[in-house]
Amino acid sequence: MGLFHFLRSEKKRRAAAEKAAAAASEDYAAAYTDAVAATRRAATREAAERIAAAAPPKHAPAAPKAATAPPGLARGAHPPHTPTPSSAAHKAVPAAPTPKPEAAVMRRTYTVRSGDSLLAIARQELGNEARWRELYAMNRSVIGSNPELIHPGQVLILPG
């Protein structure tokens, strides 16, 4: 056997070894992918079972009632809902408290005099001239679109 035949046989051995390694790698990848998919399916199934076990039991739908209305209720009208501890009505956000009449009386006001500006009023009445924007925002309907133009006699509401 010559050198040429030896090199060619060595090349064939390497090719065969690489082909076997590639086949083994493909087999491993397929087995790994299958195992991952099976694990995911099992985990999903277990999660669904846990959720189903934690959920409250489902009740069968009630049979439709006869179309007779209680006395005082028009046919087709629904009776008023009475909240129960399991309904969401008791979890509703309470309504905002209604303002008391005393709150309107206790509001501070300022009557504009000649030479006044919102800056000067904020400095004198609120203690901080930077609050003139707050003063303007509260009295925009009285002052108008130009905060620099205020007239003597205008009554401004002072912020708290």
Side-chain angles (χ1 to χ4, degrees):
M1 172 163 30
L3 182 62
F4 179 70
H5 292 293
F6 174 76
L7 292 175
R8 197 159 66 181
S9 65
E10 185 66 28
K11 187 176 180 183
K12 285 182 183 178
R13 260 189 265 145
R14 278 192 201 149
E18 286 175 2
K19 191 174 184 180
S25 177
E26 287 176 10
D27 290 344
Y28 175 76
Y32 177 78
T33 304
D34 291 343
V36 168
T39 304
R40 284 187 181 155
R41 281 193 302 272
T44 304
R45 192 175 326 110
E46 289 172 5
E49 290 171 359
R50 282 195 309 269
I51 290 171
K58 293 182 180 179
H59 299 290
K65 295 182 180 179
T68 59
L73 196 63
R75 185 174 187 195
H78 297 287
H81 175 68
T82 305
T84 62
S86 62
S87 71
H90 73 282
K91 300 175 187 172
V93 177
T98 56
K100 296 179 182 169
E102 299 107 334
V105 175
M106 295 176 60
R107 270 197 172 154
R108 292 184 353 171
T109 59
Y110 179 82
T111 305
V112 177
R113 291 179 257 161
S114 181
D116 277 345
S117 68
L118 290 180
L119 194 77
I121 296 169
R123 183 184 321 119
Q124 178 184 346
E125 296 296 322
L126 305 176
N128 185 354
E129 61 187 28
R131 292 183 68 188
W132 74 267
R133 286 185 178 88
E134 185 180 355
L135 183 62
Y136 174 61
M138 286 187 73
N139 296 286
R140 183 177 286 236
S141 62
V142 176
I143 297 170
S145 62
N146 187 356
E148 296 178 7
L149 185 61
I150 58 175
H151 303 287
Q154 288 179 326
V155 179
L156 305 178
I157 297 171
L158 298 175

